[in-house]
Each structure stands twice: as C-alpha cells, then as structure tokens.
Amino acid sequence: QVQLVESGGGLVQAGDSLRLSCVVSGSKFDISTVGWYRQAPGGQRELVATQTAGDIRSYGAAVKGRVSISRDNDRNTVALQINEAKPEDTAVYYCHLYQRWSDETFWGRGTQVTVSS
C-alpha cells in the first residue's frame, strides 16, 4: 500500500555533492514525518535526517552541517542533499515515512552511495 522508492545513489569522489530523492505513494505524505537513514557495510542503520509535517528538521551528528533534507508536498517527494561527501558516508541510504495516526513506519529498499577517496 505505502511505497517508497529511492533514487540518486551512485559513486562519487570525496568532496563531491550528491542528491538523493524518494517518491512516496499510498500515504498522506503532507502530514507524515519523512526522513533518511543509512547503513554502512557491517554497520547498523543510523539516522541521517528527518523532517516533520511541520517542517522541523533533525540531523544525525555524523552528517550535520553537510546534509540537508527537504520535502515537496506537491510531488510527494523527499530529498537529501549531501555536500562535501566523505568516504565514511558510504552506505545504503533508506527513505522512511512515519504515520503518527497509525504509529507505522515504512521503508524504501535503499539506494547505494559510495564515496571514494
């Protein structure tokens, strides 16, 4: 029912910028909290950024200052802008959506970001 599809991942050099996008269907996007998490090889999934329906943004400590999250309620999309990419940013990035009225969280299948040094 609820579907999240990420795109924009790829191979970049350290210091480059990258923009990830997520298209959401099947949910009331404009009143949902959306965000991005990532999981490095052998690591655990960690918070990258979230944005509430009221446009309150939060960022993980490892990326704060280098990334920004934005949402387009007209297109049901959420984007993650990564600047000054570092090799430690290499991970699979997952889009997520939280529906507070049902207390449910939905995940995309992820998009790979690889940053070479």
Side-chain angles (χ1 to χ4, degrees), residues 61-88:
V63 299
K64 190 174 183 179
R66 297 188 297 110
V67 308
S68 63
I69 187 172
S70 61
R71 63 192 297 164
D72 187 338
N73 290 339
D74 293 327
R75 299 183 183 275
N76 287 359
T77 60
V78 55
L80 183 73
Q81 178 73 30
I82 305 173
N83 297 320
E84 302 174 21
K86 300 179 178 180
E88 52 262 44

Side-chain angles (χ1 to χ4, degrees), residues 40-57:
Q44 296 183 331
R45 191 168 298 186
E46 65 177 2
L47 169 71
V48 178
T50 63
Q51 186 172 4
T52 69
D55 293 333
I56 298 174
R57 296 172 173 86

Side-chain angles (χ1 to χ4, degrees), residues 6-112:
E6 304 97 335
S7 63
L11 174 64
V12 298
Q13 298 289 326
D16 285 354
S17 295
L18 196 67
R19 187 174 180 87
L20 309 180
S21 295
C22 174
V23 180
V24 178
S25 62
S27 183
K28 298 177 180 179
F29 179 87
D30 58 339
I31 60 173
S32 301
T33 294
V34 295
W36 293 88
Y37 288 71
R38 69 184 184 183
Q39 187 168 8
Q44 296 183 331
R45 191 168 298 186
E46 65 177 2
L47 169 71
V48 178
T50 63
Q51 186 172 4
T52 69
D55 293 333
I56 298 174
R57 296 172 173 86
S58 62
Y59 297 96
V63 299
K64 190 174 183 179
R66 297 188 297 110
V67 308
S68 63
I69 187 172
S70 61
R71 63 192 297 164
D72 187 338
N73 290 339
D74 293 327
R75 299 183 183 275
N76 287 359
T77 60
V78 55
L80 183 73
Q81 178 73 30
I82 305 173
N83 297 320
E84 302 174 21
K86 300 179 178 180
E88 52 262 44
D89 293 328
T90 296
V92 177
Y93 285 71
Y94 298 91
C95 182
H96 88 272
L97 178 145
Y98 173 65
Q99 296 181 154
R100 70 176 184 274
W101 60 92
S102 62
D103 195 25
E104 291 182 282
T105 298
F106 301 92
W107 297 92
R109 291 186 175 182
T111 184
Q112 176 71 47

